[in-house]
Amino acid sequence: MGMLRALLERHVVPDIVVGSSVGALNGVFVAADPTAAGVERMVDTWTSIAHRGVLAGSVLERVRTLVRGRTYLHSNDGLRSLLDGRLGPLRFEDLPVHFECIAASIERACGQWFRTGPVTDAVLASCAVPGLLPAVEIGGEHYFDGGLVSSVPVGRAVTIGARRIFVLHVGRLEQPLRAPATPWQVGLVAFEIARRHQFGDDMARVPDGIEVHVLPAGTDAPALSVRYRRASDIPERISAAHAAASEFLDRVLTQ
């Protein structure tokens, strides 16, 4: 949100938006309304997300959900309600800015880019963190979080014609990894190694003549952890990202 705010303040408006995981959620919102007012509505959404029931429930309720669903702790009903409330029955073709998002096909073990048809299910699929949210079925196929196959989809932006790319990430790219100290951290560190390796490969393959700017987050973003539902520091993180991205953009846009 802070990065988007800084970009729009400098009249950088996207022609193409590609997103993966939570980037699909933010991406469709900005593709639907690429204005400063649209970003402020997104800020309101995130600062109040703890009260919107997206990842609601006590420990007992999460255990009950796990027993019923067997593979996830939360229903995606809250997230679906959030999308429907903001977007309605929107299709990719109706968006004012070209938007694509990726999800990981379970049956084919590969990435699937969505760019036509209903938006909500595609975004839910891209956000379906394994173990936290249920896989999403689309056209008889089941999908998990797009971050499993393309966490920072620079390559896709290049493929569909982008010439100047701004990477808006959640902050963890800027933090050095540490050896895991708990079983939970083992999986997170392994995932981080894979996503950063892929990002490095994608950056190395960017053709000459294409600009790629990785915006700074301005703060140490927490990795996904057992405290993943914490929302109290969201306003501070938005402000820090806005300040850092503003300083960065004032340098690169004047070169």
Side-chain angles (χ1 to χ4, degrees):
M1 300 303 95
M3 295 173 187
L4 281 171
R5 188 184 274 165
L7 283 165
L8 291 172
E9 286 172 351
R10 287 152 183 81
H11 309 291
V12 179
V13 180
D15 303 297
I16 295 169
V17 177
V18 294
S20 175
S21 193
V22 71
L25 181 62
N26 287 332
V28 72
F29 286 157
V30 74
D33 187 3
T35 66
V39 170
E40 294 313 307
R41 282 192 287 274
M42 293 166 68
V43 169
D44 176 67
T45 295
W46 280 110
T47 52
S48 60
I49 201 166
H51 307 293
R52 292 176 180 260
V54 173
L55 295 175
S58 65
V59 172
L60 180 58
E61 288 171 325
R62 279 176 276 165
V63 170
R64 287 173 176 166
T65 301
L66 179 61
V67 170
R68 288 195 303 268
R70 297 187 296 177
T71 60
Y72 53 89
L73 292 174
H74 300 279
S75 163
N76 60 13
D77 291 345
L79 190 54
R80 182 180 293 277
S81 176
L82 175 65
L83 283 163
D84 288 344
R86 283 289 305 273
L87 303 175
L90 192 67
R91 296 178 64 86
F92 282 86
E93 297 88 339
D94 300 329
L95 290 164
V97 175
H98 181 86
F99 170 67
E100 299 186 11
C101 66
I102 189 171
S105 166
I106 295 174
E107 285 84 357
R108 290 181 290 122
C110 67
Q112 173 67 50
W113 282 98
F114 293 94
R115 56 181 180 175
T116 61
V119 165
T120 295
D121 280 347
V123 172
L124 287 176
S126 189
C127 295
V129 180
L132 293 185
L133 293 167
V136 175
E137 182 177 355
I138 300 175
E141 199 165 346
H142 298 83
Y143 294 93
F144 269 147
D145 194 293
L148 294 171
V149 288
S150 184
S151 183
V152 188
V154 171
R156 182 62 178 182
V158 172
T159 297
I160 61 177
R163 305 294 297 175
R164 183 172 68 163
I165 300 168
F166 294 94
V167 177
L168 285 64
H169 61 100
V170 296
R172 296 199 303 272
L173 290 174
E174 301 171 355
Q175 300 177 41
L177 292 176
R178 298 178 181 176
T182 67
W184 175 266
Q185 291 175 354
V186 170
L188 294 176
V189 170
F191 175 70
E192 282 295 307
I193 291 171
R195 71 188 289 268
R196 295 187 194 195
H197 175 76
Q198 182 187 57
F199 176 60
D201 277 356
D202 284 350
M203 291 292 286
R205 294 192 184 100
V206 173
D208 293 339
I210 295 180
E211 297 179 42
V212 181
H213 302 292
V214 182
L215 273 61
T219 185
D220 290 339
L224 184 63
S225 72
V226 292
R227 302 181 67 190
Y228 60 89
R229 299 190 302 163
R230 184 182 65 189
S232 59
D233 61 347
I234 287 176
E236 289 76 16
R237 288 173 57 192
I238 291 173
S239 295
H242 176 257
S246 295
E247 181 181 354
F248 175 87
L249 290 169
D250 286 342
R251 291 198 311 270
V252 302
L253 295 179
T254 57
Q255 293 177 357

